[in-house]
Amino acid sequence: MASSGEDTSNEGDVPPAGATMAVGAHLLGFSDEILLHILSHVPSTDLVLNVRRTCRKLAVLCLDKSLTHTVLLQKDYEASEDKVKHVVKEIGREIQQLNMAGCYWLSGATIEHVARCRSLVKVNLSGCHLTSLRLSKMLSALQHLRSLAIDVSPGFDAGQLSGECKATLSRVRELKQTLYTPSYGVVPCCTSLEKLLLYFEILDRTREGAVLSGQLMVGQSNVPHYQHLRVFYARLAPGHVNQEVVRLYLAVLSDRTPENLHAFLISVPGSFAESGATKNLLDSMARKVALDALQLPKSWLNGSSLLQHMRFNNPFYFSFSRCALSGGHLIQRVINGGRDLRSLASLNLSGCVHCLSPDSLLRKAEDDIDSGILETLVASCHNLQHLNLSAAHHHSADGPGRHLCQLLARLRRLRSLALPVCAVAEAAPRPDREPAPHAVPRGCGKKVRIGVQSSPAPLAGQAAPQPSSVFWSLLKSVPFLERLELIGSSFSSAMPRNEPAIRNSLPPCSRAHSVGDAEVAAVGQLTFLRHLTLAQLPGILTGSGLVSIGLQCQQLQSLSLANLGLMGKVVYTSALSDMLKHCKRLKDLRLEQPYFSANAQFFQALSQCSALQRLCLVSRSGTLQPEAVLAFMARCLHVVVCHMFTGESLATCKSLQQSLLRSFQAERPALNVVIFPLLHEGLTNVIRDVPMVHLDEITLFKSRVAEEPPNLWW
């Protein structure tokens, strides 16, 4: 398109003279504003290295400040070492915000080029290779930096940070720090902190078997400066060392609570005993601050009157995950008897088994919820965008307008929603499907399914959504939903993120058996859906509802399926293959299903997902065909994460992993391959032999709805 010679006219910006289309219909006929919006969706590396070379007009637009001001390389798996260096060389002086989170394939020498972006105000280097000396050299050159995200790995030494580096850190106001070793990291150097995000990923033992302890931090600088702090967030992975280390961070807060603190969030899996220091901190917070966001360990809230004394200003995020919070306490202490909480955007009540029931904690799983409590919640928080009610039995009583789905349908602004499978079941069992709880296998053997529908499914095997069902009506009322999770209340993943992996999972809720292919097909209404999780749906008979989703949810980018149908047999393989043929935008697929056969037919269908980047397969007693995997990787050129945990032998897994790396790593620098046997102890043996840093975020199962406050970080 570009013209040659010295003519500076716009000759290269218009279609050829013989073009039949009008100039206005040509891409370059759009206004600059529209073109800039289109270009904002193009990866930065492509803008600088490819698009701007096509013609003069695009050459100018691609260097517009609105595009060069912020550069996002996160999950840009095609950003090679040379491409990143070239981008920094071309527009480094213009970049003010740079996100390189998760660029694990880039060498430390390439990461060091960030120092050339002298105007940087915000940089995210989480997951990048950084030593103390390299970090010191880089930060010494970034005098305008105000926001920083880094990892603190074994070997980090704050004593190696130069004076210029510490001067830069003293001006940093936002810090996100992921800890893989007991350390304060750079926190003591950040004397102007307003936002501190801490992620604790420290294992209790080293890979050599040595026991770690938070006492390794003794002797390090331990005077974090919290006087200006507005946001404190800590997320802990399982392990006692993580709890030991976070207590050292909290000790300073307990001495002097920042007056401007408005968000205090601590996410801890399992129990986390309250100490004298934390009690003093909470008492001080109740007296001195008014919060906008709150999350506390369940042991700090259970049986406590803390919520009654906490003051809230304009809350936008609450998380009471796994807390013994009754419906009465939720209404009285959080919603304050039904006050207007229009500011609340995100609410996490996952695992709160009593939150929609009266004060009695003697509630049984089969007992119905109190629709009045939910109605008060919905009326008070009518602007909710993210709601998580998973990991609990929320059964609705019979009666018009009392079903959970009917009440949630009033939340028209919802963008993400997580529900237990039994919560979307009709109040009374439908006459056309008989629940069959007695057919649930107790062991690992295959069972004969009882109560299979004899009537044929409509439309060549596709399940038809039922407009009369409450679940169908709910989804119709929230058409802009982008993330949906339907997770069985008893579901336990073989590879969970924040919970112990257990061998014998609990049987599904009896009401979950009435949620099947027709309900799954109803999800097809969500034309803006991007992320879908379906886990522990024993009522799936053929999986035909998946085909409807594939046909209609054309924006779907990530799909997680786990334990569909009864556990003795995989019943939806054919439907899944048909679905995948239509998922042209699918980037992430996680599939967890015992006895799954990853054969040539499956990989042939998966190969039609041309945008696929990450694949995770978890299957106890499952099988795979190495030749089919190799052929799939050769056809799907964008796949860089391939994690498979099956019942194959260690020798087979190692051979396939080596073959994949040998065949494709040269052309895909970001290639991350883990092929490993999934033994009876599940995740335990994987962590022992596979470093956690190699396990991608899609590998370990967790609910992501309202997991963190919206816009917490980049």
Side-chain angles (χ1 to χ4, degrees), residues 584-598:
K584 301 304 181 183
R585 289 183 172 87
L586 190 68
K587 293 183 178 180
D588 301 333
L589 174 63
R590 186 185 191 276
L591 184 59
E592 179 172 346
Q593 188 78 36
Y595 304 104
F596 188 84
S597 176

Side-chain angles (χ1 to χ4, degrees), residues 15 150 154 191 279 486 570 590 642:
I150 59 170
T191 57
K279 289 181 179 179
L486 276 183
V570 185
R590 186 185 191 276
C642 182

Side-chain angles (χ1 to χ4, degrees), residues 350-361:
S350 63
C352 297
V353 297
H354 307 290
C355 67
L356 300 181
S357 303
D359 289 343
S360 174
L361 298 182

Side-chain angles (χ1 to χ4, degrees), residues 195-260:
K195 179 187 288 188
L196 176 60
L197 280 60
L198 299 169
Y199 293 78
F200 296 86
E201 299 287 347
I202 311 167
L203 297 178
D204 290 342
R205 292 176 178 269
T206 65
R207 287 184 53 77
E208 292 74 26
V211 178
L212 288 176
S213 170
Q215 295 303 314
L216 293 175
M217 296 173 62
V218 174
Q220 298 181 22
S221 174
N222 59 354
V223 190
H225 299 270
Y226 293 149
Q227 59 267 32
H228 304 295
L229 206 61
R230 294 175 53 83
V231 176
F232 181 89
Y233 178 88
R235 176 171 292 275
L236 282 66
H240 72 274
V241 174
N242 290 317
Q243 297 189 11
E244 191 176 354
V245 173
V246 76
R247 290 188 189 278
L248 297 176
Y249 279 87
L250 291 172
V252 177
L253 272 178
S254 64
D255 291 337
R256 182 180 178 183
T257 305
E259 297 180 357
N260 294 323

Side-chain angles (χ1 to χ4, degrees), residues 234-508:
R235 176 171 292 275
L236 282 66
H240 72 274
V241 174
N242 290 317
Q243 297 189 11
E244 191 176 354
V245 173
V246 76
R247 290 188 189 278
L248 297 176
Y249 279 87
L250 291 172
V252 177
L253 272 178
S254 64
D255 291 337
R256 182 180 178 183
T257 305
E259 297 180 357
N260 294 323
L261 190 69
H262 74 94
F264 185 77
L265 308 112
I266 300 181
S267 174
V268 182
S271 60
F272 183 43
E274 194 175 19
S275 65
T278 56
K279 289 181 179 179
N280 292 337
L281 170 61
L282 296 176
D283 290 342
S284 177
M285 288 171 53
R287 294 193 312 268
K288 298 181 179 179
V289 300
L291 296 175
D292 294 332
L294 177 67
Q295 179 177 7
L296 295 175
K298 63 180 183 179
S299 55
W300 296 12
L301 285 175
N302 291 349
S304 169
S305 61
L306 176 64
L307 288 178
Q308 191 172 355
H309 302 292
M310 282 287 184
R311 292 184 295 129
F312 301 108
N313 187 19
N314 293 304
F316 62 87
Y317 178 80
F318 283 142
S319 177
F320 303 108
S321 179
R322 305 290 178 180
C323 293
L325 184 71
S326 70
H329 287 168
L330 178 65
I331 299 301
Q332 296 168 15
R333 299 178 181 179
V334 179
I335 304 179
N336 195 17
R339 68 171 178 171
D340 187 358
L341 282 180
R342 67 182 64 190
S343 61
L344 194 65
S346 185
L347 178 62
N348 190 340
L349 295 172
S350 63
C352 297
V353 297
H354 307 290
C355 67
L356 300 181
S357 303
D359 289 343
S360 174
L361 298 182
L362 300 178
R363 175 181 182 267
K364 298 179 181 179
E366 60 270 17
D367 292 344
D368 294 333
I369 64 172
D370 185 335
S371 59
I373 293 175
L374 181 57
E375 191 167 12
T376 302
L377 175 65
V378 169
S380 301
C381 311
H382 52 274
N383 287 330
L384 270 180
Q385 298 180 30
H386 314 281
L387 176 62
N388 194 329
L389 293 172
S390 63
H393 296 270
H394 295 315
H395 298 170
S396 300
D398 196 9
R402 300 181 60 190
H403 196 283
L404 177 141
C405 290
Q406 293 173 315
L407 295 173
L408 293 184
R410 303 176 188 178
L411 299 174
R412 302 301 178 93
R413 297 176 181 268
L414 278 179
R415 294 298 179 268
S416 67
L417 176 64
L419 294 174
V421 175
C422 56
V424 307
E426 299 290 336
R430 298 211 316 269
D432 62 337
R433 183 182 294 135
E434 178 185 354
H438 52 280
V440 180
R442 299 291 178 177
C444 296
K446 298 182 179 179
K447 300 291 182 181
V448 177
R449 293 181 289 114
I450 300 175
V452 177
Q453 290 175 292
S454 58
S455 58
L459 297 178
Q462 294 184 35
Q466 299 183 356
S468 60
S469 74
V470 291
F471 185 54
W472 188 93
S473 300
L474 167 62
L475 298 186
K476 184 178 181 180
S477 301
V478 288
F480 299 109
L481 204 67
E482 296 179 0
R483 182 185 292 273
L484 175 65
E485 297 178 354
L486 276 183
I487 304 174
S489 51
S490 305
F491 176 69
S492 178
S493 172
M495 296 187 67
R497 179 64 175 92
N498 290 322
E499 299 173 2
I502 58 177
R503 168 61 172 158
N504 295 316
S505 58
L506 296 173

